[in-house]
Amino acid sequence: MKGIQNLRVDYSGKKINIHTINNNPINEFKIWFKSAQENNILEPNAMTLSTFSDTSGINSRTVLLKGVEEKGFIFYTNYNSRKGVDINNNNNVSLVFLWKEIEKQIIVKGKASKISKKESKKYFESRPRKSKIAAWASKQSSEIKDEKELNSRFLEYEKKFLDDKIPLPDFWGGYIIVPDSIEFWIGRKSRMHDRIIYLKNNDDWVIKKLYP
Ligand SMILES: Cc1cc2nc3c(=O)[nH]c(=O)nc-3n(C[C@H](O)[C@H](O)[C@H](O)COP(=O)(O)O)c2cc1C
């Protein structure tokens, strides 16, 4: 078996034509996302979300993108989780999408804010019943003192909402990340990768090419 230091893939990706790409990075993102879907990438909407807080530093984790709007990128979570606390203190975040199989990476930097209750409710209602119960049962990111605790909380909420519609918890909902910059990366031969970055300038986007 090869040692880690000898693992090496020579990428073959195409060049990104800076003259023909979209003026708007969200539209460019949608084209790249579609190509990830067409190439059957497993969970192309999985993204690494990094947050920062003065007390615990940088925290990264994977979350699922659940919407792309003209304004930005939406995901759902527990507002009391570590990421929720981080965002409450500092709403600057980054997202990284890595689609290795098609040799692409997208990095978004921007500001996160809560979406409306109405929008969160609409999404929450579309989730399977057990996922709704799990949202109620999980005190996401808090310590579990007794192993049985989570299971018994799940059963407790299952019982509580037995024949009822499960309401949206106050502590659960979506965030939208409004981008300040979006970088598109494509792997090319001999590490001569292509990188194009869109930087927000008032209402416009400035597009630059970066060294790999
Ligand atoms: C593929 C994948 C998708 C995930 N999607 C979400 C998600 O959409 N929302 C969420 O709150 N956690 C999601 N998680 C769990 C998070 O990675 C993380 O464990 C959890 O949100 C707690 O993070 P925190 O303690 O930093 O707040 C996902 C994990 C994986 C591996």
Side-chain angles (χ1 to χ4, degrees), residues 43 46-47 51 59-66 75-78 80-84 86 123 127 140-142 172:
E43 291 201 301
M47 55 192 191
T51 54
N59 294 305
S60 300
R61 80 292 282 158
T62 311
V63 291
L64 294 177
L65 179 73
K66 287 290 173 176
F75 74 94
Y76 292 88
T77 195
N78 183 315
N80 296 333
S81 64
R82 187 174 53 175
K83 70 183 91 49
D86 285 358
Y123 172 70
R127 302 181 91 210
Q140 196 176 54
S141 317
S142 300
W172 200 96

Short mmCIF file of all heavy atoms in Angstrom, two decimals, residues 43 46-47 51 59-66 75-78 80-84 86 123 127 140-142 172, ligand 1:
data_model
loop_
_atom_site.label_atom_id
_atom_site.label_comp_id
_atom_site.label_asym_id
_atom_site.label_seq_id
_atom_site.Cartn_x
_atom_site.Cartn_y
_atom_site.Cartn_z
N GLU A 43 -24.20 13.30 -2.39
CA GLU A 43 -24.46 14.51 -1.59
C GLU A 43 -23.63 15.72 -2.05
O GLU A 43 -22.78 16.21 -1.30
CB GLU A 43 -24.24 14.24 -0.10
CG GLU A 43 -25.30 13.31 0.46
CD GLU A 43 -25.43 13.40 1.99
OE1 GLU A 43 -24.44 13.17 2.67
OE2 GLU A 43 -26.53 13.70 2.46
N ALA A 46 -23.34 18.65 0.32
CA ALA A 46 -22.58 18.64 1.59
C ALA A 46 -21.47 19.69 1.50
O ALA A 46 -20.75 19.76 0.51
CB ALA A 46 -21.99 17.25 1.83
N MET A 47 -21.38 20.52 2.53
CA MET A 47 -20.38 21.60 2.49
C MET A 47 -19.76 21.76 3.88
O MET A 47 -20.42 21.52 4.89
CB MET A 47 -21.04 22.90 2.03
CG MET A 47 -22.25 23.31 2.87
SD MET A 47 -23.19 24.64 2.12
CE MET A 47 -24.29 25.08 3.49
N THR A 51 -16.91 28.45 11.24
CA THR A 51 -17.35 29.61 12.01
C THR A 51 -16.22 29.97 12.97
O THR A 51 -15.28 29.20 13.15
CB THR A 51 -18.62 29.26 12.82
OG1 THR A 51 -18.35 28.09 13.62
CG2 THR A 51 -19.81 28.99 11.91
N ASN A 59 -14.22 26.77 14.28
CA ASN A 59 -14.91 25.48 14.32
C ASN A 59 -15.43 25.15 12.93
O ASN A 59 -16.09 25.98 12.31
CB ASN A 59 -16.10 25.54 15.28
CG ASN A 59 -15.64 25.74 16.72
OD1 ASN A 59 -14.83 24.96 17.22
ND2 ASN A 59 -16.13 26.77 17.37
N SER A 60 -15.13 23.94 12.44
CA SER A 60 -15.61 23.52 11.12
C SER A 60 -16.42 22.24 11.26
O SER A 60 -16.14 21.42 12.14
CB SER A 60 -14.44 23.25 10.18
OG SER A 60 -13.67 24.41 10.02
N ARG A 61 -17.38 22.11 10.39
CA ARG A 61 -18.19 20.88 10.34
C ARG A 61 -18.94 20.85 9.01
O ARG A 61 -19.05 21.88 8.33
CB ARG A 61 -19.16 20.75 11.51
CG ARG A 61 -20.43 21.54 11.42
CD ARG A 61 -20.25 23.01 11.49
NE ARG A 61 -20.04 23.52 12.84
CZ ARG A 61 -19.46 24.67 13.10
NH1 ARG A 61 -19.05 25.48 12.11
NH2 ARG A 61 -19.29 25.09 14.33
N THR A 62 -19.47 19.64 8.67
CA THR A 62 -20.23 19.51 7.43
C THR A 62 -21.70 19.80 7.69
O THR A 62 -22.24 19.35 8.70
CB THR A 62 -20.12 18.06 6.90
OG1 THR A 62 -18.75 17.68 6.90
CG2 THR A 62 -20.68 17.93 5.50
N VAL A 63 -22.32 20.55 6.80
CA VAL A 63 -23.78 20.70 6.83
C VAL A 63 -24.29 20.56 5.40
O VAL A 63 -23.50 20.52 4.47
CB VAL A 63 -24.25 22.07 7.43
CG1 VAL A 63 -23.97 22.15 8.92
CG2 VAL A 63 -23.64 23.25 6.71
N LEU A 64 -25.61 20.47 5.25
CA LEU A 64 -26.18 20.30 3.92
C LEU A 64 -26.81 21.59 3.41
O LEU A 64 -27.62 22.20 4.11
CB LEU A 64 -27.25 19.20 3.94
CG LEU A 64 -26.76 17.78 4.24
CD1 LEU A 64 -27.95 16.82 4.30
CD2 LEU A 64 -25.75 17.30 3.22
N LEU A 65 -26.43 21.95 2.20
CA LEU A 65 -27.05 23.09 1.54
C LEU A 65 -28.49 22.70 1.19
O LEU A 65 -28.72 21.64 0.61
CB LEU A 65 -26.28 23.41 0.24
CG LEU A 65 -26.82 24.56 -0.60
CD1 LEU A 65 -26.52 25.90 0.07
CD2 LEU A 65 -26.20 24.54 -2.00
N LYS A 66 -29.45 23.56 1.57
CA LYS A 66 -30.85 23.20 1.30
C LYS A 66 -31.54 24.20 0.38
O LYS A 66 -32.72 24.07 0.09
CB LYS A 66 -31.63 23.08 2.62
CG LYS A 66 -31.27 21.83 3.39
CD LYS A 66 -31.80 20.59 2.70
CE LYS A 66 -31.32 19.31 3.34
NZ LYS A 66 -31.92 18.14 2.71
N PHE A 75 -28.84 26.82 4.84
CA PHE A 75 -28.78 25.52 5.50
C PHE A 75 -29.58 25.59 6.80
O PHE A 75 -29.94 26.69 7.26
CB PHE A 75 -27.32 25.09 5.78
CG PHE A 75 -26.67 25.83 6.91
CD1 PHE A 75 -26.68 25.31 8.21
CD2 PHE A 75 -26.05 27.06 6.71
CE1 PHE A 75 -26.09 26.01 9.27
CE2 PHE A 75 -25.47 27.76 7.75
CZ PHE A 75 -25.49 27.24 9.03
N TYR A 76 -29.87 24.43 7.37
CA TYR A 76 -30.71 24.36 8.58
C TYR A 76 -29.96 23.70 9.72
O TYR A 76 -29.15 22.79 9.50
CB TYR A 76 -32.00 23.59 8.29
CG TYR A 76 -32.89 24.35 7.34
CD1 TYR A 76 -32.74 24.21 5.97
CD2 TYR A 76 -33.85 25.24 7.82
CE1 TYR A 76 -33.53 24.93 5.07
CE2 TYR A 76 -34.64 25.97 6.95
CZ TYR A 76 -34.48 25.81 5.58
OH TYR A 76 -35.25 26.54 4.71
N THR A 77 -30.27 24.16 10.92
CA THR A 77 -29.57 23.61 12.09
C THR A 77 -30.30 24.01 13.37
O THR A 77 -31.35 24.64 13.35
CB THR A 77 -28.10 24.10 12.11
OG1 THR A 77 -27.36 23.31 13.04
CG2 THR A 77 -27.98 25.57 12.49
N ASN A 78 -29.66 23.61 14.50
CA ASN A 78 -30.13 24.00 15.82
C ASN A 78 -29.46 25.34 16.16
O ASN A 78 -28.24 25.44 16.17
CB ASN A 78 -29.72 22.90 16.81
CG ASN A 78 -30.23 23.15 18.20
OD1 ASN A 78 -30.14 24.27 18.71
ND2 ASN A 78 -30.74 22.12 18.84
N ASN A 80 -29.12 26.77 18.88
CA ASN A 80 -28.36 26.74 20.13
C ASN A 80 -27.09 25.91 20.03
O ASN A 80 -26.38 25.74 21.02
CB ASN A 80 -29.21 26.16 21.27
CG ASN A 80 -30.41 27.04 21.57
OD1 ASN A 80 -30.36 28.24 21.33
ND2 ASN A 80 -31.48 26.44 22.07
N SER A 81 -26.83 25.34 18.85
CA SER A 81 -25.64 24.50 18.69
C SER A 81 -24.39 25.37 18.75
O SER A 81 -24.47 26.61 18.77
CB SER A 81 -25.69 23.80 17.33
OG SER A 81 -25.63 24.76 16.28
N ARG A 82 -23.24 24.71 18.73
CA ARG A 82 -21.98 25.48 18.77
C ARG A 82 -21.91 26.46 17.60
O ARG A 82 -21.52 27.61 17.74
CB ARG A 82 -20.79 24.52 18.77
CG ARG A 82 -19.46 25.22 18.97
CD ARG A 82 -18.32 24.26 19.11
NE ARG A 82 -18.31 23.32 17.99
CZ ARG A 82 -17.36 22.41 17.80
NH1 ARG A 82 -16.36 22.33 18.65
NH2 ARG A 82 -17.41 21.60 16.78
N LYS A 83 -22.32 25.97 16.39
CA LYS A 83 -22.27 26.86 15.22
C LYS A 83 -23.22 28.03 15.39
O LYS A 83 -22.93 29.16 14.98
CB LYS A 83 -22.53 26.07 13.93
CG LYS A 83 -23.96 25.59 13.76
CD LYS A 83 -24.15 24.77 12.51
CE LYS A 83 -23.93 23.28 12.72
NZ LYS A 83 -24.63 22.65 13.87
N GLY A 84 -24.39 27.75 16.03
CA GLY A 84 -25.38 28.80 16.25
C GLY A 84 -24.82 29.87 17.19
O GLY A 84 -24.98 31.07 16.95
N ASP A 86 -21.61 30.46 17.74
CA ASP A 86 -20.53 31.15 17.02
C ASP A 86 -21.11 32.26 16.13
O ASP A 86 -20.64 33.40 16.15
CB ASP A 86 -19.76 30.18 16.11
CG ASP A 86 -18.83 29.25 16.89
OD1 ASP A 86 -18.75 29.39 18.11
OD2 ASP A 86 -18.18 28.39 16.25
N TYR A 123 -39.75 24.57 5.48
CA TYR A 123 -38.79 23.48 5.27
C TYR A 123 -38.99 22.38 6.33
O TYR A 123 -39.00 21.20 6.01
CB TYR A 123 -37.34 24.00 5.29
CG TYR A 123 -36.37 22.85 5.27
CD1 TYR A 123 -36.24 22.07 4.12
CD2 TYR A 123 -35.66 22.48 6.41
CE1 TYR A 123 -35.40 20.95 4.11
CE2 TYR A 123 -34.83 21.37 6.40
CZ TYR A 123 -34.70 20.62 5.26
OH TYR A 123 -33.89 19.52 5.25
N ARG A 127 -39.81 17.82 6.27
CA ARG A 127 -38.90 16.77 6.74
C ARG A 127 -39.68 15.53 7.18
O ARG A 127 -40.83 15.64 7.62
CB ARG A 127 -38.06 17.27 7.93
CG ARG A 127 -37.24 18.50 7.63
CD ARG A 127 -36.45 18.90 8.83
NE ARG A 127 -35.14 18.29 8.84
CZ ARG A 127 -34.45 17.97 9.93
NH1 ARG A 127 -34.97 18.19 11.11
NH2 ARG A 127 -33.25 17.44 9.84
N GLN A 140 -28.34 19.85 20.42
CA GLN A 140 -27.14 19.75 19.59
C GLN A 140 -25.94 20.48 20.18
O GLN A 140 -26.04 21.65 20.55
CB GLN A 140 -27.43 20.29 18.18
CG GLN A 140 -26.38 19.88 17.16
CD GLN A 140 -26.72 20.32 15.76
OE1 GLN A 140 -26.97 21.48 15.50
NE2 GLN A 140 -26.74 19.38 14.83
N SER A 141 -24.83 19.77 20.25
CA SER A 141 -23.52 20.25 20.72
C SER A 141 -23.36 20.27 22.24
O SER A 141 -22.26 20.55 22.73
CB SER A 141 -23.15 21.64 20.17
OG SER A 141 -23.47 21.75 18.82
N SER A 142 -24.44 19.97 23.00
CA SER A 142 -24.29 19.88 24.47
C SER A 142 -23.78 18.50 24.84
O SER A 142 -23.97 17.54 24.08
CB SER A 142 -25.63 20.08 25.16
OG SER A 142 -26.14 21.33 24.85
N TRP A 172 -34.73 26.04 16.34
CA TRP A 172 -34.31 25.33 15.11
C TRP A 172 -34.72 26.14 13.89
O TRP A 172 -35.81 26.71 13.86
CB TRP A 172 -34.98 23.95 15.09
CG TRP A 172 -34.31 22.95 14.19
CD1 TRP A 172 -33.40 22.01 14.55
CD2 TRP A 172 -34.52 22.80 12.77
NE1 TRP A 172 -33.02 21.28 13.44
CE2 TRP A 172 -33.69 21.74 12.35
CE3 TRP A 172 -35.31 23.45 11.82
CZ2 TRP A 172 -33.63 21.32 11.01
CZ3 TRP A 172 -35.25 23.03 10.50
CH2 TRP A 172 -34.42 21.97 10.11
C1 LIG B 1 -22.89 14.75 5.46
C2 LIG B 1 -23.29 15.49 6.71
C3 LIG B 1 -24.33 16.39 6.67
C4 LIG B 1 -24.72 17.10 7.80
N1 LIG B 1 -25.70 18.02 7.70
C5 LIG B 1 -26.03 18.77 8.78
C6 LIG B 1 -26.99 19.83 8.65
O1 LIG B 1 -27.52 20.13 7.56
N2 LIG B 1 -27.31 20.54 9.77
C7 LIG B 1 -26.71 20.28 10.98
O2 LIG B 1 -27.05 20.94 11.96
N3 LIG B 1 -25.79 19.30 11.12
C8 LIG B 1 -25.43 18.55 10.04
N4 LIG B 1 -24.46 17.56 10.17
C9 LIG B 1 -23.82 17.36 11.49
C10 LIG B 1 -22.71 18.44 11.67
O3 LIG B 1 -21.56 18.08 10.93
C11 LIG B 1 -22.32 18.66 13.14
O4 LIG B 1 -21.92 17.44 13.72
C12 LIG B 1 -23.46 19.24 13.98
O5 LIG B 1 -24.21 20.19 13.26
C13 LIG B 1 -22.93 19.89 15.24
O6 LIG B 1 -22.01 20.90 14.89
P1 LIG B 1 -21.55 22.04 15.95
O7 LIG B 1 -21.41 21.36 17.27
O8 LIG B 1 -20.24 22.56 15.42
O9 LIG B 1 -22.61 23.10 15.93
C14 LIG B 1 -24.05 16.87 9.03
C15 LIG B 1 -22.99 15.96 9.08
C16 LIG B 1 -22.61 15.28 7.94
C17 LIG B 1 -21.43 14.33 8.01
#
